[in-house]
Amino acid sequence: MPITTFFKLVEIQTKLASLFPFLLGTLFAAYYFNAFNLVNTLIFFVAMLIFDMTTTAINNLMDYQKAKDKGYKDEVNVIGQEKISEKLIIRLIIGMLIAAMLLGILLVFRTNIILLVIGAGCFFIGVFYTFGPIPISRMPLGEPISGLVMGFGIFFIAAFVNVNDTNLLSLLFSKQSFILEGNLVSILSLFFVSLPTVFFIANIMLANNTCDLEQDIVNHRYTLPFYIGKKQAVRLFNVLVYLSYVVIVVAVLLGLLHPVLLLLLGTIIPMRKNLALYNDKQVKSETFVIAIKNIVLFSSSEVVLLAVSLLFK
């Protein structure tokens, strides 16, 4: 399989959705916990990227196999477009899944066994997000689950592999007993600061499902926009964007982020222009990209400002 075809299969351009929570979680660990572990960070990055590509390949395979519309199957889905062998895709999926699991187990040995529990949960959700008789992506739970697992899950693990586990979360065994220890304030701080990423990743899924609403109904995919309607889905898209700015302001007021992060408010002007274009029409080929532009605009600015805030430590 040519590398260009492989990149289309795994939709390499969408991996920004996992890159941003990874970068933000790593930088927040350095800022808030004064902790950074280069080896653990690199191992997690590779494992995360491989697993993200795996779930996307599974998604495309499931969409191809479950498609009711022959036009979509042969002309829209990458497997039909590129005439890729299903057996080859299955072998790729298994290979990438094993590689991600091995890297994850290595990280468990380098940190704490609680990571095995967290990682297993992420693997389960990631696989069954698109696999099985009723995958999560075909239900109205797709947006909140994708936002939480990627936006908070990746953010949390990126911080966890850098921070001494006793300062954050740990699972200890002693004969027949086990002790689960954690710092509730630290965990809640991580969750709150990760919320903008949660919202923007959920918005990518929301925009995709809103633009594909008619096609999804034909292919028996009943996602959140089907239940709440396109008008409310567009309204929710806007609300999640503005809530992200509110979170940043509150996080600064709580002392979780440096005041320099308030410069992020300057991105509201181009963000409003993006939202105006999206509100005008929801067409996959024309305006879905706005969801990607939004996360790039907001999260890349947040990454830069969080990195700058390290200079004031």
Side-chain angles (χ1 to χ4, degrees), residues 87-108:
K87 289 183 178 179
L88 174 59
I89 295 173
I90 292 171
R91 287 198 295 269
L92 277 171
I93 289 170
I94 293 173
M96 290 191 295
L97 199 58
I98 291 173
M101 289 175 63
L102 291 175
L103 289 170
I105 291 171
L106 176 59
L107 269 180
V108 170

Side-chain angles (χ1 to χ4, degrees), residues 186-205:
S186 295
I187 293 172
L188 289 177
S189 298
L190 278 167
F191 177 70
F192 188 74
V193 174
S194 75
L195 281 178
T197 319
V198 172
F199 295 155
F200 277 102
I201 290 176
N203 260 357
I204 292 174
M205 183 72 173

Side-chain angles (χ1 to χ4, degrees), residues 69-285:
D69 181 1
K70 187 167 177 26
Y72 166 82
K73 192 169 185 176
D74 295 338
E75 299 171 16
V76 178
N77 189 285
V78 63
I79 297 173
Q81 281 182 345
E82 301 293 332
K83 304 294 187 293
I84 310 171
S85 165
E86 290 184 49
K87 289 183 178 179
L88 174 59
I89 295 173
I90 292 171
R91 287 198 295 269
L92 277 171
I93 289 170
I94 293 173
M96 290 191 295
L97 199 58
I98 291 173
M101 289 175 63
L102 291 175
L103 289 170
I105 291 171
L106 176 59
L107 269 180
V108 170
F109 281 107
R110 292 182 57 87
T111 55
N112 185 273
I113 197 169
I114 191 66
L115 185 60
L116 182 63
V117 179
I118 298 170
C122 291
F123 264 70
F124 180 85
I125 294 172
V127 170
F128 288 96
Y129 186 78
T130 53
F131 183 73
I134 309 179
I136 297 169
S137 65
R138 291 173 176 261
M139 297 189 291
L141 297 174
E143 285 82 358
I145 290 179
S146 63
L148 285 170
V149 172
M150 295 184 70
F152 173 61
I154 293 175
F155 188 102
F156 178 85
I157 297 175
F160 179 84
V161 299
N162 283 288
V163 179
N164 186 319
D165 53 63
T166 56
N167 293 331
L168 190 55
L169 188 64
S170 65
L171 180 61
L172 306 173
F173 290 92
S174 178
K175 296 181 180 179
Q176 296 180 343
S177 303
F178 68 88
I179 301 173
L180 179 62
E181 293 182 331
N183 187 311
L184 185 59
V185 172
S186 295
I187 293 172
L188 289 177
S189 298
L190 278 167
F191 177 70
F192 188 74
V193 174
S194 75
L195 281 178
T197 319
V198 172
F199 295 155
F200 277 102
I201 290 176
N203 260 357
I204 292 174
M205 183 72 173
L206 181 61
N208 182 65
N209 288 337
T210 303
C211 293
D212 286 347
L213 181 58
E214 290 76 17
Q215 188 180 77
D216 282 349
I217 293 172
V218 171
N219 288 303
H220 298 182
R221 294 184 66 202
Y222 303 109
T223 57
L224 184 61
F226 173 81
Y227 289 95
I228 66 175
K230 183 172 282 191
K231 183 177 180 180
Q232 292 301 320
V234 172
R235 184 172 297 172
L236 178 59
F237 184 90
N238 284 258
V239 168
L240 291 177
V241 169
Y242 289 119
L243 276 178
S244 299
Y245 287 99
V246 173
V247 169
I248 294 298
V249 173
V250 174
V252 170
L253 293 175
L254 292 175
L256 301 177
L257 294 174
H258 192 278
V260 73
L261 266 295
L262 291 177
L263 291 175
L264 195 60
L265 296 176
T267 63
I268 289 180
I269 296 174
M271 187 70 74
R272 284 174 60 85
K273 293 179 180 179
N274 286 349
L275 291 176
L277 291 172
Y278 181 77
N279 294 342
D280 185 54
K281 63 169 71 171
Q282 300 82 49
V283 179
K284 188 70 171 284
S285 60

